Amino acid sequence: MSMTLAVPVTVAIARRVDPGRSSEMVAWMRAGTALAEAFPGFLGAGWVQSGPGSPEWHMLYRFADAETLRRWEESPQRHWWLSSAQGIVEHTRVERRTGIEGWFDPPSEHSVDLVAPVAPTSPPRWKQAVTIWLAFFPLSLSATLLTSHFLDAVPLAARVLLMTLCLTPLMTYLVLPRITRALHWWLHGQRAPWRGL
């Protein structure tokens, strides 16, 4: 019996709207987020305007896996919500992201400051590298110790091949998502959870 591991999916959408209708745009996006929140698998949403007075808006939403995302995207609620903005909002680009590029995205809603909006930033690359190393080192060390005891007679190249075949999915679907959740506060420069308010 095969087991499918859930991989969160982030959808990034670029939209254009008349700058004079920015307040309507914000209300429309809030309504869409409120509808999506009622769906199982919803992990969060956010949006930003490209700049003061810009017609460009960028919206992100994330679901736990492709199936829960499909249910939202094919739902009558979403179709009604999209149709309510016809003639006002133009959809210019849609991008779906899974895997390493989505590991460090914060799945939370970001408020919009219409005077000086600030786009959500990714953690510094050195913090991403440290996080990956913290996940990779103990996993690699454990695998090396195990293979040296049980697969000592297997040629080195075959042992490395076997290790990488086993470790890559473990890193991608199990270890790295957990460690990035645990270190979310550090990655994004927030107060440590044990330090309180």
Side-chain angles (χ1 to χ4, degrees):
M1 178 175 147
S2 64
M3 183 178 75
T4 304
L5 294 169
V7 181
V9 183
T10 302
V11 179
I13 303 175
R15 293 185 164 109
R16 292 177 63 86
V17 69
D18 182 339
R21 307 186 83 161
S22 291
S23 58
E24 293 172 66
M25 181 67 167
V26 172
W28 180 73
M29 289 187 289
R30 283 183 177 150
T33 300
L35 287 171
E37 283 172 349
F39 278 73
F42 177 76
L43 298 177
W47 59 84
V48 291
Q49 191 177 13
S50 291
S54 171
E56 292 283 340
W57 290 78
H58 301 277
M59 185 173 190
L60 290 170
Y61 56 90
R62 175 180 271 183
F63 276 79
D65 53 41
E67 179 57 26
T68 55
L69 173 64
R70 183 190 65 76
R71 287 188 197 133
W72 158 245
E73 291 188 330
E74 294 179 1
S75 69
Q77 295 94 320
R78 182 171 180 270
H79 288 293
W80 169 84
W81 174 68
L82 289 174
S83 67
S84 71
Q86 282 184 351
I88 300 172
V89 177
E90 177 190 350
H91 309 279
T92 58
R93 190 178 70 252
V94 177
E95 179 185 347
R96 292 169 191 267
R97 297 185 292 165
T98 58
I100 193 164
E101 66 273 20
W103 283 340
F104 299 100
D105 296 336
S108 58
E109 183 172 329
H110 301 277
S111 60
V112 175
D113 179 350
L114 294 177
V115 178
V118 179
T121 57
S122 295
R125 287 202 178 266
W126 71 268
K127 285 190 175 184
Q128 295 183 31
V130 169
T131 304
I132 291 169
W133 180 85
L134 286 172
F136 182 72
F137 175 72
L139 198 61
S140 179
L141 180 62
S142 302
T144 302
L145 290 171
L146 285 172
T147 55
S148 66
H149 281 99
F150 299 109
L151 302 174
D152 192 38
V154 176
L156 179 62
R159 262 192 290 165
V160 172
L161 175 65
L162 183 63
M163 278 176 49
T164 55
L165 285 173
C166 294
L167 295 185
T168 300
L170 278 174
M171 277 284 291
T172 304
Y173 300 117
L174 186 65
V175 179
L176 199 51
R178 289 183 180 186
I179 200 165
T180 54
R181 276 196 300 271
L183 294 179
H184 181 272
W185 61 273
W186 177 73
L187 284 163
H188 296 281
Q190 298 166 358
R191 182 187 292 271
W194 60 82
R195 294 182 64 182
L197 296 175

